[in-house]
Amino acid sequence: MSNLYDAALPVFRQTLGAMAGVLDKGEGFAREKGVEADTLLNARLAPDMHPLAFQLAQAVNHSMGAVRKLKGEADVPFIPNYASYAEARKSVAEGVAFLAAVTPADLEGAEGRDVLFKFPGGALRFTGEGYLQSFALPNFYFHATMAYGVLRNQGVPLGKGDFLGPTQVIERIKG
């Protein structure tokens, strides 16, 4: 890969776009079962894990936030959770649109950029490349995977293809 754009943007776009499809299936499942989709937001894989609302918010935070940090932009308000399914869908759609607008020039030279990740009680300092490879991408995948897992655990009929979303296939070979 030639730069952080090539390493990050296709991954963020594909997976966050797939999360939009996963949310669609979750909403359809809820409607079919005669329950409010909002109730799915409180579902979790284990009692000590954060619920679906948090997992989705973190997938958005870690994709958009990573790009902003790599661009050298100031931190934006952290999305802690979603209050409704509609809010989650809107935020994921906004994330997809934000990522679609990022160009290679936006991340030019970001590999060596100083990146500071702040959290309550401290901060972590990285190079842009280290931040993306060892923190942003793993966190993004973790939360996207947990969101998928929570919905699957609730009975939403999801498969691996739903998590992957549209892939960058050059050619499908039969046989």
Side-chain angles (χ1 to χ4, degrees), residues 22-100:
V22 165
L23 282 171
D24 288 345
K25 281 199 166 184
E27 189 170 37
F29 173 81
R31 188 173 31 257
E32 180 182 299
K33 296 296 180 188
V35 299
E36 288 293 322
D38 289 355
T39 62
L40 292 172
L41 292 175
N42 295 316
R44 46 184 92 221
L45 288 176
D48 64 343
M49 289 184 75
H50 288 290
L52 174 63
F54 180 87
Q55 304 301 341
L56 289 166
Q58 293 312 300
V60 173
N61 284 332
H62 282 289
S63 59
M64 292 174 59
V67 171
R68 286 185 174 118
K69 286 182 181 306
L70 292 172
K71 289 171 72 174
E73 294 179 357
D75 284 335
V76 296
F78 176 76
I79 304 166
N81 226 334
Y82 297 121
S84 70
Y85 210 84
E87 185 182 337
R89 289 172 57 92
K90 180 181 177 200
S91 182
V92 170
E94 288 170 353
V96 168
F98 171 84
L99 295 169

Side-chain angles (χ1 to χ4, degrees), residues 148-170:
Y148 168 91
V150 167
L151 286 173
R152 184 70 185 98
N153 184 262
Q154 293 300 301
V156 177
L158 298 169
K160 188 179 197 179
D162 295 304
F163 179 81
L164 293 176
T167 57
Q168 298 178 17
V169 174
I170 295 171

